[in-house]
Every structure is written in C-alpha cells, then in structure tokens.
Amino acid sequence: MENGFFKGVGLGVLAGTMAGTMMGATMAPKKRSSVKKAADKAMKTVDQAMENLTEKMGFQD
C-alpha cells in the first residue's frame, strides 16, 4: 500500500510541476523572451523526467 501511495504522490508532483510550467509559459509575454525560452526548456526537462519515472515504475510498456 505504501508503494502505491508514493507512486501516486510522485506522479502528482510531476504532473503539478508540468502543469505549472505550462501555465507559466502561457502567461509569459508574447515577445520571445529568455524567460519563455527557459520555461520551454524546463517543460521539456520535466516531460522527459516524467517519462523516465513512469517507465521505471512500470506504467509504460
């Protein structure tokens, strides 16, 4: 039961981080700024980390 709890918490934290990053990138000024570039890079990094974690937890084929 504890293992399932930690999987859920881990996925929730990653999903929340990803959602927050996307919201930040969306709310950034329209002009392509260094902040928006950094947010895009962070979003890609979080996406890759989430893929790696779900793969290691056995959620992906």
Side-chain angles (χ1 to χ4, degrees):
M1 183 160 153
E2 289 181 19
N3 193 20
F5 171 77
F6 289 120
K7 283 182 182 179
V9 169
L11 287 175
V13 167
L14 286 174
T17 302
M18 198 161 144
T21 302
M22 287 191 300
M23 289 271 301
T26 303
M27 299 217 153
K30 297 296 177 192
K31 183 180 175 186
R32 187 83 173 162
S33 67
S34 61
V35 174
K36 192 166 184 179
K37 286 180 188 177
D40 287 341
K41 185 176 179 182
M43 189 167 57
K44 289 177 185 175
T45 303
V46 169
D47 182 47
Q48 185 63 41
M50 190 168 183
E51 283 182 25
N52 291 342
L53 181 63
T54 55
E55 185 177 308
K56 291 200 188 274
M57 290 178 149
F59 291 134
Q60 291 181 346
D61 294 329

